[in-house]
Amino acid sequence: MLNRVFYNATVATCDAGIESYGLINNGAVATENGVISWCGANNKLPEKFKKLAALDCAGGLLTPSFIDCHTHIVHGGHRATEFEQRLQGASYAEISAAGGGIVSTMTATRAASVDSLVATALPRVDSLLAEGVSVIEIKSGYGLDIDTELNMLRAARKIQTLRPIIVRTSFLGAHALPTDYNGTKDSYVDDVCIVALEQARAENLVDAVDGFCESIAFTPDQIERVFIKAQALGLPVKLHAEQLTLSGGAALAARYGALSADHLEYLDESGVIAMAESGTVAVLLPGAFYTLHETQHPPVDFLRKHAVPIAIATDCNPGSSPLTSLLLTMNMACTLFKLTPEEALMGVTRHAALALGLTDRGTLAPGMTADISLWNVEHPSELCYRIGFNPLSERFQPNQPQPDQAYE
Ligand code: NIG
Ligand code: FE
């Protein structure tokens, strides 16, 4: 277990109540048995921690390790040809209506075994790991039949056994209507989606339940039926909402106490207020906005005005966001959505933890899990500022033994 003092660091605690970034200059962090015991100024380090192994951070930056709280990183195939079509003017909705989009990934995903879903996801996972990511949320939603939805979740769970990363799974059976399904969206929700959810729950494959509430996907009424089942199974909910149109998804999600509502480009102020009242996190996904050449911006000013916590995530998926860098996501959130670099950092730490219902991660504070990243930068804004540059020096995990020289 990690028992160590980190000193001579700039510490971005990302903790509430401390000024900008929760920043401590010339700071130190003490960890014992994989848990943070103390954070503060170097020169205030209590005597009892000075006997622990110590690391001189040489002025580098410490942050909580990152959390990517919205991904579809497990999937079969790719959709690079749709990238070409979009560059020639076709829209996401047009490609989807013509049998491309989510349904084309469904075909590739159904053809893949659990092992090959894992094998193709791992290089993408490794790309995130290399940037100090400690937790990834992974959704199902490309199987769209009972067996393949379960296989996607089994693959997601398996990734956690193969890499030093925590995986949180979300069941996304209500993602699209499969073209080969012989029935209506209503019957799909009742006979496939809800049945798959029950089975996934019985196999302990699900941590949360998601849906795609959109004109090209499912209505609020259909999503609500999935949410009622989630509630009965004791699972928290989240929702892809207001991505392409204002459909009322965020308000529905708020009524069910959702952990998060995600995308949100078309969200209005009343939806923001509903989210504020339910404590629902707004997960913004600049990779999808960028890839789809969207022009409608999420209502960042309303989110700020009503103090809705903002998280950001890669939305890593083969169609609308083939993005496997949280650092680039942070840069995009600042450049495209005008988030401040501080908001972007909170968005991949404290608020991303909230979006997954994780209470032991996301800040550097006493009692939190000691999953800490050391960056070779002087100031946290540098994490957002450079493009295509990874300054991670090292990630320290709670279960990592590493004796070295003592503080004194
Ligand atoms: O989060 N919006 C819906 N689902 C995914 C896109 C999935 C796809 O195009 O394959 C998203 O952007
Ligand atoms: Fe998504």
Side-chain angles (χ1 to χ4, degrees), residues 57-88:
C57 297
L61 175 74
L62 293 177
T63 66
S65 293
F66 288 175
I67 296 169
D68 193 352
C69 68
H70 180 141
T71 88
H72 310 250
I73 211 163
V74 167
H75 56 257
H78 68 82
R79 306 221 300 270
T81 46
E82 290 179 17
F83 176 65
E84 293 181 320
Q85 287 170 339
R86 277 198 308 276
L87 288 172
Q88 281 156 16

PDB file of all heavy atoms in Angstrom, residues 57-88:
ATOM      1  N   CYS A  57       9.219  16.286  -5.183  1.00  0.00           N
ATOM      2  CA  CYS A  57       8.535  16.501  -6.466  1.00  0.00           C
ATOM      3  C   CYS A  57       9.187  17.617  -7.282  1.00  0.00           C
ATOM      4  O   CYS A  57       8.715  17.934  -8.386  1.00  0.00           O
ATOM      5  CB  CYS A  57       7.059  16.813  -6.227  1.00  0.00           C
ATOM      6  SG  CYS A  57       6.184  15.452  -5.440  1.00  0.00           S
ATOM      7  N   ALA A  58      10.206  18.230  -6.744  1.00  0.00           N
ATOM      8  CA  ALA A  58      11.005  19.227  -7.469  1.00  0.00           C
ATOM      9  C   ALA A  58      10.135  20.298  -8.118  1.00  0.00           C
ATOM     10  O   ALA A  58      10.378  20.696  -9.260  1.00  0.00           O
ATOM     11  CB  ALA A  58      11.876  18.522  -8.510  1.00  0.00           C
ATOM     12  N   GLY A  59       9.111  20.723  -7.418  1.00  0.00           N
ATOM     13  CA  GLY A  59       8.276  21.809  -7.929  1.00  0.00           C
ATOM     14  C   GLY A  59       7.195  21.353  -8.903  1.00  0.00           C
ATOM     15  O   GLY A  59       6.439  22.181  -9.417  1.00  0.00           O
ATOM     16  N   GLY A  60       7.110  20.054  -9.185  1.00  0.00           N
ATOM     17  CA  GLY A  60       6.078  19.552 -10.097  1.00  0.00           C
ATOM     18  C   GLY A  60       4.683  19.674  -9.488  1.00  0.00           C
ATOM     19  O   GLY A  60       4.517  20.041  -8.327  1.00  0.00           O
ATOM     20  N   LEU A  61       3.695  19.356 -10.319  1.00  0.00           N
ATOM     21  CA  LEU A  61       2.286  19.505  -9.925  1.00  0.00           C
ATOM     22  C   LEU A  61       1.693  18.159  -9.512  1.00  0.00           C
ATOM     23  O   LEU A  61       1.819  17.170 -10.243  1.00  0.00           O
ATOM     24  CB  LEU A  61       1.489  20.053 -11.114  1.00  0.00           C
ATOM     25  CG  LEU A  61      -0.028  20.156 -10.923  1.00  0.00           C
ATOM     26  CD1 LEU A  61      -0.378  21.322  -9.997  1.00  0.00           C
ATOM     27  CD2 LEU A  61      -0.733  20.324 -12.269  1.00  0.00           C
ATOM     28  N   LEU A  62       1.024  18.136  -8.351  1.00  0.00           N
ATOM     29  CA  LEU A  62       0.259  16.949  -7.951  1.00  0.00           C
ATOM     30  C   LEU A  62      -1.225  17.229  -8.150  1.00  0.00           C
ATOM     31  O   LEU A  62      -1.717  18.298  -7.764  1.00  0.00           O
ATOM     32  CB  LEU A  62       0.487  16.631  -6.472  1.00  0.00           C
ATOM     33  CG  LEU A  62       1.879  16.177  -6.050  1.00  0.00           C
ATOM     34  CD1 LEU A  62       1.925  15.988  -4.529  1.00  0.00           C
ATOM     35  CD2 LEU A  62       2.270  14.878  -6.742  1.00  0.00           C
ATOM     36  N   THR A  63      -1.921  16.263  -8.754  1.00  0.00           N
ATOM     37  CA  THR A  63      -3.390  16.362  -8.868  1.00  0.00           C
ATOM     38  C   THR A  63      -3.977  15.008  -8.473  1.00  0.00           C
ATOM     39  O   THR A  63      -3.263  13.998  -8.489  1.00  0.00           O
ATOM     40  CB  THR A  63      -3.851  16.647 -10.319  1.00  0.00           C
ATOM     41  OG1 THR A  63      -3.531  15.499 -11.132  1.00  0.00           O
ATOM     42  CG2 THR A  63      -3.206  17.887 -10.903  1.00  0.00           C
ATOM     43  N   PRO A  64      -5.265  14.989  -8.176  1.00  0.00           N
ATOM     44  CA  PRO A  64      -5.916  13.682  -8.110  1.00  0.00           C
ATOM     45  C   PRO A  64      -5.769  13.026  -9.476  1.00  0.00           C
ATOM     46  O   PRO A  64      -5.795  13.720 -10.501  1.00  0.00           O
ATOM     47  CB  PRO A  64      -7.398  14.023  -7.848  1.00  0.00           C
ATOM     48  CG  PRO A  64      -7.420  15.465  -7.453  1.00  0.00           C
ATOM     49  CD  PRO A  64      -6.210  16.114  -8.038  1.00  0.00           C
ATOM     50  N   SER A  65      -5.595  11.715  -9.533  1.00  0.00           N
ATOM     51  CA  SER A  65      -5.582  11.061 -10.843  1.00  0.00           C
ATOM     52  C   SER A  65      -6.938  11.291 -11.515  1.00  0.00           C
ATOM     53  O   SER A  65      -7.951  11.486 -10.858  1.00  0.00           O
ATOM     54  CB  SER A  65      -5.276   9.569 -10.686  1.00  0.00           C
ATOM     55  OG  SER A  65      -3.938   9.446 -10.228  1.00  0.00           O
ATOM     56  N   PHE A  66      -6.934  11.288 -12.834  1.00  0.00           N
ATOM     57  CA  PHE A  66      -8.117  11.711 -13.590  1.00  0.00           C
ATOM     58  C   PHE A  66      -9.190  10.624 -13.650  1.00  0.00           C
ATOM     59  O   PHE A  66      -8.919   9.440 -13.473  1.00  0.00           O
ATOM     60  CB  PHE A  66      -7.715  12.089 -15.016  1.00  0.00           C
ATOM     61  CG  PHE A  66      -6.946  13.372 -15.145  1.00  0.00           C
ATOM     62  CD1 PHE A  66      -6.443  13.748 -16.393  1.00  0.00           C
ATOM     63  CD2 PHE A  66      -6.724  14.216 -14.069  1.00  0.00           C
ATOM     64  CE1 PHE A  66      -5.732  14.935 -16.554  1.00  0.00           C
ATOM     65  CE2 PHE A  66      -6.015  15.406 -14.214  1.00  0.00           C
ATOM     66  CZ  PHE A  66      -5.516  15.765 -15.474  1.00  0.00           C
ATOM     67  N   ILE A  67     -10.381  11.077 -13.969  1.00  0.00           N
ATOM     68  CA  ILE A  67     -11.542  10.183 -14.102  1.00  0.00           C
ATOM     69  C   ILE A  67     -12.230  10.514 -15.432  1.00  0.00           C
ATOM     70  O   ILE A  67     -12.620  11.674 -15.639  1.00  0.00           O
ATOM     71  CB  ILE A  67     -12.521  10.415 -12.928  1.00  0.00           C
ATOM     72  CG1 ILE A  67     -11.843  10.039 -11.599  1.00  0.00           C
ATOM     73  CG2 ILE A  67     -13.824   9.631 -13.140  1.00  0.00           C
ATOM     74  CD1 ILE A  67     -12.619  10.472 -10.363  1.00  0.00           C
ATOM     75  N   ASP A  68     -12.338   9.522 -16.311  1.00  0.00           N
ATOM     76  CA  ASP A  68     -13.077   9.726 -17.567  1.00  0.00           C
ATOM     77  C   ASP A  68     -14.486   9.164 -17.339  1.00  0.00           C
ATOM     78  O   ASP A  68     -14.694   7.949 -17.367  1.00  0.00           O
ATOM     79  CB  ASP A  68     -12.366   9.020 -18.721  1.00  0.00           C
ATOM     80  CG  ASP A  68     -12.916   9.455 -20.071  1.00  0.00           C
ATOM     81  OD1 ASP A  68     -13.949  10.175 -20.093  1.00  0.00           O
ATOM     82  OD2 ASP A  68     -12.328   9.080 -21.106  1.00  0.00           O
ATOM     83  N   CYS A  69     -15.443  10.059 -17.103  1.00  0.00           N
ATOM     84  CA  CYS A  69     -16.747   9.621 -16.573  1.00  0.00           C
ATOM     85  C   CYS A  69     -17.784   9.318 -17.645  1.00  0.00           C
ATOM     86  O   CYS A  69     -18.954   9.082 -17.315  1.00  0.00           O
ATOM     87  CB  CYS A  69     -17.274  10.659 -15.580  1.00  0.00           C
ATOM     88  SG  CYS A  69     -17.719  12.231 -16.349  1.00  0.00           S
ATOM     89  N   HIS A  70     -17.387   9.293 -18.926  1.00  0.00           N
ATOM     90  CA  HIS A  70     -18.355   8.954 -19.991  1.00  0.00           C
ATOM     91  C   HIS A  70     -17.574   8.400 -21.180  1.00  0.00           C
ATOM     92  O   HIS A  70     -16.945   9.152 -21.919  1.00  0.00           O
ATOM     93  CB  HIS A  70     -19.145  10.218 -20.385  1.00  0.00           C
ATOM     94  CG  HIS A  70     -20.167  10.015 -21.467  1.00  0.00           C
ATOM     95  ND1 HIS A  70     -21.413  10.633 -21.443  1.00  0.00           N
ATOM     96  CD2 HIS A  70     -20.148   9.300 -22.621  1.00  0.00           C
ATOM     97  CE1 HIS A  70     -22.099  10.306 -22.519  1.00  0.00           C
ATOM     98  NE2 HIS A  70     -21.351   9.496 -23.258  1.00  0.00           N
ATOM     99  N   THR A  71     -17.592   7.075 -21.334  1.00  0.00           N
ATOM    100  CA  THR A  71     -16.970   6.480 -22.525  1.00  0.00           C
ATOM    101  C   THR A  71     -17.813   5.327 -23.064  1.00  0.00           C
ATOM    102  O   THR A  71     -18.589   4.710 -22.332  1.00  0.00           O
ATOM    103  CB  THR A  71     -15.534   5.914 -22.280  1.00  0.00           C
ATOM    104  OG1 THR A  71     -15.614   4.555 -21.833  1.00  0.00           O
ATOM    105  CG2 THR A  71     -14.723   6.746 -21.304  1.00  0.00           C
ATOM    106  N   HIS A  72     -17.596   5.078 -24.349  1.00  0.00           N
ATOM    107  CA  HIS A  72     -18.124   3.880 -25.020  1.00  0.00           C
ATOM    108  C   HIS A  72     -16.895   3.145 -25.566  1.00  0.00           C
ATOM    109  O   HIS A  72     -16.852   2.763 -26.736  1.00  0.00           O
ATOM    110  CB  HIS A  72     -19.041   4.263 -26.179  1.00  0.00           C
ATOM    111  CG  HIS A  72     -20.118   5.263 -25.849  1.00  0.00           C
ATOM    112  ND1 HIS A  72     -21.446   4.918 -25.792  1.00  0.00           N
ATOM    113  CD2 HIS A  72     -20.077   6.597 -25.580  1.00  0.00           C
ATOM    114  CE1 HIS A  72     -22.188   6.007 -25.515  1.00  0.00           C
ATOM    115  NE2 HIS A  72     -21.371   7.030 -25.378  1.00  0.00           N
ATOM    116  N   ILE A  73     -15.898   2.992 -24.714  1.00  0.00           N
ATOM    117  CA  ILE A  73     -14.575   2.555 -25.184  1.00  0.00           C
ATOM    118  C   ILE A  73     -14.569   1.093 -25.633  1.00  0.00           C
ATOM    119  O   ILE A  73     -13.723   0.692 -26.433  1.00  0.00           O
ATOM    120  CB  ILE A  73     -13.526   2.843 -24.076  1.00  0.00           C
ATOM    121  CG1 ILE A  73     -12.155   3.139 -24.658  1.00  0.00           C
ATOM    122  CG2 ILE A  73     -13.466   1.730 -23.041  1.00  0.00           C
ATOM    123  CD1 ILE A  73     -11.200   3.809 -23.673  1.00  0.00           C
ATOM    124  N   VAL A  74     -15.535   0.299 -25.134  1.00  0.00           N
ATOM    125  CA  VAL A  74     -15.680  -1.096 -25.601  1.00  0.00           C
ATOM    126  C   VAL A  74     -16.637  -1.097 -26.801  1.00  0.00           C
ATOM    127  O   VAL A  74     -17.795  -0.703 -26.661  1.00  0.00           O
ATOM    128  CB  VAL A  74     -16.234  -2.000 -24.479  1.00  0.00           C
ATOM    129  CG1 VAL A  74     -16.696  -3.350 -25.033  1.00  0.00           C
ATOM    130  CG2 VAL A  74     -15.189  -2.197 -23.377  1.00  0.00           C
ATOM    131  N   HIS A  75     -16.134  -1.471 -27.949  1.00  0.00           N
ATOM    132  CA  HIS A  75     -17.000  -1.570 -29.135  1.00  0.00           C
ATOM    133  C   HIS A  75     -16.264  -2.344 -30.225  1.00  0.00           C
ATOM    134  O   HIS A  75     -15.031  -2.394 -30.230  1.00  0.00           O
ATOM    135  CB  HIS A  75     -17.383  -0.177 -29.668  1.00  0.00           C
ATOM    136  CG  HIS A  75     -16.199   0.697 -29.991  1.00  0.00           C
ATOM    137  ND1 HIS A  75     -15.789   1.706 -29.166  1.00  0.00           N
ATOM    138  CD2 HIS A  75     -15.353   0.703 -31.041  1.00  0.00           C
ATOM    139  CE1 HIS A  75     -14.731   2.303 -29.695  1.00  0.00           C
ATOM    140  NE2 HIS A  75     -14.430   1.714 -30.832  1.00  0.00           N
ATOM    141  N   GLY A  76     -17.001  -2.906 -31.150  1.00  0.00           N
ATOM    142  CA  GLY A  76     -16.380  -3.560 -32.298  1.00  0.00           C
ATOM    143  C   GLY A  76     -16.203  -2.548 -33.433  1.00  0.00           C
ATOM    144  O   GLY A  76     -16.964  -1.595 -33.557  1.00  0.00           O
ATOM    145  N   GLY A  77     -15.195  -2.763 -34.247  1.00  0.00           N
ATOM    146  CA  GLY A  77     -15.027  -2.003 -35.487  1.00  0.00           C
ATOM    147  C   GLY A  77     -14.693  -0.541 -35.316  1.00  0.00           C
ATOM    148  O   GLY A  77     -14.296  -0.093 -34.243  1.00  0.00           O
ATOM    149  N   HIS A  78     -14.836   0.190 -36.412  1.00  0.00           N
ATOM    150  CA  HIS A  78     -14.604   1.640 -36.402  1.00  0.00           C
ATOM    151  C   HIS A  78     -15.535   2.251 -37.437  1.00  0.00           C
ATOM    152  O   HIS A  78     -16.201   1.536 -38.196  1.00  0.00           O
ATOM    153  CB  HIS A  78     -13.144   1.953 -36.729  1.00  0.00           C
ATOM    154  CG  HIS A  78     -12.777   1.622 -38.148  1.00  0.00           C
ATOM    155  ND1 HIS A  78     -13.035   2.466 -39.200  1.00  0.00           N
ATOM    156  CD2 HIS A  78     -12.233   0.502 -38.696  1.00  0.00           C
ATOM    157  CE1 HIS A  78     -12.650   1.910 -40.331  1.00  0.00           C
ATOM    158  NE2 HIS A  78     -12.166   0.708 -40.051  1.00  0.00           N
ATOM    159  N   ARG A  79     -15.584   3.572 -37.455  1.00  0.00           N
ATOM    160  CA  ARG A  79     -16.478   4.226 -38.422  1.00  0.00           C
ATOM    161  C   ARG A  79     -15.737   5.356 -39.146  1.00  0.00           C
ATOM    162  O   ARG A  79     -16.274   6.453 -39.345  1.00  0.00           O
ATOM    163  CB  ARG A  79     -17.745   4.746 -37.709  1.00  0.00           C
ATOM    164  CG  ARG A  79     -18.459   3.655 -36.898  1.00  0.00           C
ATOM    165  CD  ARG A  79     -19.952   3.691 -37.009  1.00  0.00           C
ATOM    166  NE  ARG A  79     -20.553   4.917 -36.563  1.00  0.00           N
ATOM    167  CZ  ARG A  79     -20.959   5.161 -35.315  1.00  0.00           C
ATOM    168  NH1 ARG A  79     -20.829   4.252 -34.368  1.00  0.00           N
ATOM    169  NH2 ARG A  79     -21.529   6.306 -35.009  1.00  0.00           N
ATOM    170  N   ALA A  80     -14.514   5.056 -39.553  1.00  0.00           N
ATOM    171  CA  ALA A  80     -13.714   6.077 -40.231  1.00  0.00           C
ATOM    172  C   ALA A  80     -14.365   6.492 -41.556  1.00  0.00           C
ATOM    173  O   ALA A  80     -14.205   7.629 -42.013  1.00  0.00           O
ATOM    174  CB  ALA A  80     -12.294   5.571 -40.465  1.00  0.00           C
ATOM    175  N   THR A  81     -15.134   5.569 -42.154  1.00  0.00           N
ATOM    176  CA  THR A  81     -15.779   5.939 -43.425  1.00  0.00           C
ATOM    177  C   THR A  81     -16.858   7.014 -43.193  1.00  0.00           C
ATOM    178  O   THR A  81     -17.092   7.858 -44.043  1.00  0.00           O
ATOM    179  CB  THR A  81     -16.432   4.713 -44.083  1.00  0.00           C
ATOM    180  OG1 THR A  81     -17.158   4.021 -43.065  1.00  0.00           O
ATOM    181  CG2 THR A  81     -15.400   3.797 -44.691  1.00  0.00           C
ATOM    182  N   GLU A  82     -17.502   6.955 -42.012  1.00  0.00           N
ATOM    183  CA  GLU A  82     -18.484   8.014 -41.703  1.00  0.00           C
ATOM    184  C   GLU A  82     -17.785   9.354 -41.505  1.00  0.00           C
ATOM    185  O   GLU A  82     -18.358  10.414 -41.785  1.00  0.00           O
ATOM    186  CB  GLU A  82     -19.275   7.659 -40.444  1.00  0.00           C
ATOM    187  CG  GLU A  82     -20.216   6.509 -40.691  1.00  0.00           C
ATOM    188  CD  GLU A  82     -20.987   6.123 -39.445  1.00  0.00           C
ATOM    189  OE1 GLU A  82     -21.049   6.925 -38.491  1.00  0.00           O
ATOM    190  OE2 GLU A  82     -21.502   5.002 -39.428  1.00  0.00           O
ATOM    191  N   PHE A  83     -16.579   9.295 -41.015  1.00  0.00           N
ATOM    192  CA  PHE A  83     -15.787  10.523 -40.890  1.00  0.00           C
ATOM    193  C   PHE A  83     -15.622  11.141 -42.279  1.00  0.00           C
ATOM    194  O   PHE A  83     -15.833  12.335 -42.492  1.00  0.00           O
ATOM    195  CB  PHE A  83     -14.430  10.156 -40.254  1.00  0.00           C
ATOM    196  CG  PHE A  83     -13.447  11.276 -40.139  1.00  0.00           C
ATOM    197  CD1 PHE A  83     -13.697  12.372 -39.311  1.00  0.00           C
ATOM    198  CD2 PHE A  83     -12.242  11.238 -40.826  1.00  0.00           C
ATOM    199  CE1 PHE A  83     -12.777  13.405 -39.191  1.00  0.00           C
ATOM    200  CE2 PHE A  83     -11.318  12.263 -40.714  1.00  0.00           C
ATOM    201  CZ  PHE A  83     -11.588  13.354 -39.895  1.00  0.00           C
ATOM    202  N   GLU A  84     -15.321  10.277 -43.244  1.00  0.00           N
ATOM    203  CA  GLU A  84     -15.179  10.771 -44.622  1.00  0.00           C
ATOM    204  C   GLU A  84     -16.512  11.338 -45.123  1.00  0.00           C
ATOM    205  O   GLU A  84     -16.560  12.404 -45.733  1.00  0.00           O
ATOM    206  CB  GLU A  84     -14.711   9.642 -45.544  1.00  0.00           C
ATOM    207  CG  GLU A  84     -13.302   9.176 -45.245  1.00  0.00           C
ATOM    208  CD  GLU A  84     -12.826   8.061 -46.168  1.00  0.00           C
ATOM    209  OE1 GLU A  84     -13.638   7.151 -46.490  1.00  0.00           O
ATOM    210  OE2 GLU A  84     -11.658   8.097 -46.572  1.00  0.00           O
ATOM    211  N   GLN A  85     -17.616  10.616 -44.837  1.00  0.00           N
ATOM    212  CA  GLN A  85     -18.935  11.090 -45.320  1.00  0.00           C
ATOM    213  C   GLN A  85     -19.281  12.447 -44.709  1.00  0.00           C
ATOM    214  O   GLN A  85     -19.804  13.327 -45.388  1.00  0.00           O
ATOM    215  CB  GLN A  85     -20.021  10.075 -44.943  1.00  0.00           C
ATOM    216  CG  GLN A  85     -19.970   8.810 -45.768  1.00  0.00           C
ATOM    217  CD  GLN A  85     -20.913   7.733 -45.192  1.00  0.00           C
ATOM    218  OE1 GLN A  85     -21.299   7.765 -44.029  1.00  0.00           O
ATOM    219  NE2 GLN A  85     -21.279   6.797 -46.022  1.00  0.00           N
ATOM    220  N   ARG A  86     -18.984  12.587 -43.425  1.00  0.00           N
ATOM    221  CA  ARG A  86     -19.327  13.867 -42.775  1.00  0.00           C
ATOM    222  C   ARG A  86     -18.506  15.004 -43.370  1.00  0.00           C
ATOM    223  O   ARG A  86     -18.994  16.115 -43.531  1.00  0.00           O
ATOM    224  CB  ARG A  86     -19.113  13.780 -41.260  1.00  0.00           C
ATOM    225  CG  ARG A  86     -20.290  13.141 -40.518  1.00  0.00           C
ATOM    226  CD  ARG A  86     -20.247  13.460 -39.039  1.00  0.00           C
ATOM    227  NE  ARG A  86     -18.952  13.137 -38.469  1.00  0.00           N
ATOM    228  CZ  ARG A  86     -18.593  11.926 -38.045  1.00  0.00           C
ATOM    229  NH1 ARG A  86     -19.449  10.936 -38.106  1.00  0.00           N
ATOM    230  NH2 ARG A  86     -17.389  11.727 -37.552  1.00  0.00           N
ATOM    231  N   LEU A  87     -17.270  14.692 -43.730  1.00  0.00           N
ATOM    232  CA  LEU A  87     -16.440  15.737 -44.340  1.00  0.00           C
ATOM    233  C   LEU A  87     -16.994  16.140 -45.700  1.00  0.00           C
ATOM    234  O   LEU A  87     -16.735  17.230 -46.200  1.00  0.00           O
ATOM    235  CB  LEU A  87     -14.991  15.256 -44.473  1.00  0.00           C
ATOM    236  CG  LEU A  87     -14.238  15.169 -43.137  1.00  0.00           C
ATOM    237  CD1 LEU A  87     -12.885  14.498 -43.333  1.00  0.00           C
ATOM    238  CD2 LEU A  87     -14.051  16.543 -42.513  1.00  0.00           C
ATOM    239  N   GLN A  88     -17.802  15.234 -46.297  1.00  0.00           N
ATOM    240  CA  GLN A  88     -18.432  15.591 -47.582  1.00  0.00           C
ATOM    241  C   GLN A  88     -19.823  16.180 -47.376  1.00  0.00           C
ATOM    242  O   GLN A  88     -20.575  16.366 -48.319  1.00  0.00           O
ATOM    243  CB  GLN A  88     -18.492  14.359 -48.476  1.00  0.00           C
ATOM    244  CG  GLN A  88     -17.137  14.076 -49.125  1.00  0.00           C
ATOM    245  CD  GLN A  88     -16.978  12.622 -49.530  1.00  0.00           C
ATOM    246  OE1 GLN A  88     -17.959  11.891 -49.605  1.00  0.00           O
ATOM    247  NE2 GLN A  88     -15.756  12.219 -49.773  1.00  0.00           N
TER     248      GLN A  88
END
